[in-house]
Amino acid sequence: MIDFPFQAALFDLDGVVVDTESQYSIFWGGVCREYHPEQPGLENRIKGQTLDQIFDANFDSPAARADILKRLNIFEAQMEYAYIHGVENVMKWLRDKGVATALVTSSNIPKMNCVYRAHPEFKQLFDIVLTSEDFTQSKPHPDCYLKAASILGVAPDKCMVFEDSFNGLRAGWTAGMPVVGLATTNPASKIASLCDVVVEDFSHFDENTCLLALDHFKKRS
């Protein structure tokens, strides 16, 4: 038994483990303005979705998809994958307490290979890694988080979700899990209603944060 209110911690990738959301905003902002100038802010609404979801909902043309995919692959190979401040220490702290860790991302395997090249130690941070290839319905659907909990053998209410995007926060919330929102991508005031506690980054996370998240989760459950 562990002397801790949670048995698993489930992490999104972009904006939670690695500081990439501002880079994606630049890339997708340019793409969306080029292909959908009639939909300002589209790059913000697609955050947390798989590439297939983005294509299916917004880019019907095979030529457009091929063009975007080619540009995206080049972009991701050149991106910086700096860790969000404090995340490595928090993951070590959680694992020292016997908490299982999982990465649950809408990114695909080719993108993850870029992350692994930037951080050879990355896989060792997690007990399991789930990518877009591992689930049929992505965020905001809760399937990805429920699958991670099932693989780890942990009840949903014993899993703590770390998310930053609106779609990701909704996925964790709908999965019936306590949700910690990181204000790395969206302002704290915008995400507060979709999570149990908000932190600016992991330098503001400690055991008291866990207890606050659990208390709020129990009140809404």
Side-chain angles (χ1 to χ4, degrees), residues 16-17 19 82-90 182 201-204:
V16 175
V17 177
D19 187 10
Y83 284 125
I84 293 292
H85 185 60
V87 67
E88 293 172 280
N89 291 334
V90 166
L182 278 87
D201 57 35
F202 286 101
S203 64
H204 300 275

Side-chain angles (χ1 to χ4, degrees), residues 53-221:
Q53 285 181 312
I54 295 171
F55 279 170
D56 288 346
N58 304 285
F59 302 96
D60 294 330
S61 165
R65 294 185 181 197
D67 172 56
I68 295 167
L69 181 59
K70 179 181 178 180
R71 289 157 61 179
L72 180 61
N73 287 338
I74 294 172
F75 185 81
E76 289 181 336
Q78 299 173 344
M79 281 175 60
E80 294 183 7
Y81 293 97
Y83 284 125
I84 293 292
H85 185 60
V87 67
E88 293 172 280
N89 291 334
V90 166
M91 282 193 279
K92 182 181 184 303
W93 176 71
L94 289 169
R95 298 192 79 172
D96 286 346
K97 289 181 173 294
V99 178
T101 55
L103 183 75
V104 184
T105 176
S106 297
S107 299
N108 56 25
I109 291 174
K111 153 73 174 297
M112 291 309 303
N113 287 333
C114 296
V115 177
Y116 300 148
R117 285 193 292 272
H119 296 288
E121 78 292 348
F122 193 88
K123 290 182 181 180
Q124 300 173 12
L125 300 174
F126 300 96
D127 293 294
I128 61 170
V129 172
L130 297 183
T131 63
S132 62
E133 292 85 355
D134 293 308
F135 35 85
T136 57
Q137 300 186 84
S138 189
K139 306 167 186 176
H141 195 279
D143 176 60
C144 54
Y145 282 119
L146 292 173
K147 183 170 183 177
S150 177
I151 292 173
L152 293 172
V154 177
D157 64 350
K158 295 297 182 182
C159 295
M160 180 167 45
V161 168
F162 294 91
E163 271 286 359
D164 66 311
S165 71
F166 295 119
N167 284 330
L169 293 163
R170 291 187 180 100
W173 187 282
T174 309
M177 300 175 179
V179 179
V180 177
L182 278 87
T184 52
T185 302
N186 300 290
S189 60
K190 296 292 187 181
I191 65 173
S193 64
L194 298 173
C195 55
D196 295 296
V197 67
V198 179
V199 294
E200 293 299 322
D201 57 35
F202 286 101
S203 64
H204 300 275
F205 181 88
D206 55 20
E207 190 158 354
N208 185 56
T209 311
C210 295
L211 296 176
L212 287 173
L214 180 61
D215 182 63
H216 188 274
F217 170 75
K218 288 180 176 178
K219 290 178 180 178
R220 69 172 172 89
S221 297

Side-chain angles (χ1 to χ4, degrees), residues 28-29 32-33 36-47:
W28 283 109
C32 292
R33 285 190 295 274
H36 286 293
E38 79 286 359
Q39 296 188 51
L42 178 60
E43 66 272 19
N44 297 317
R45 295 192 292 276
I46 63 177
K47 287 183 184 293

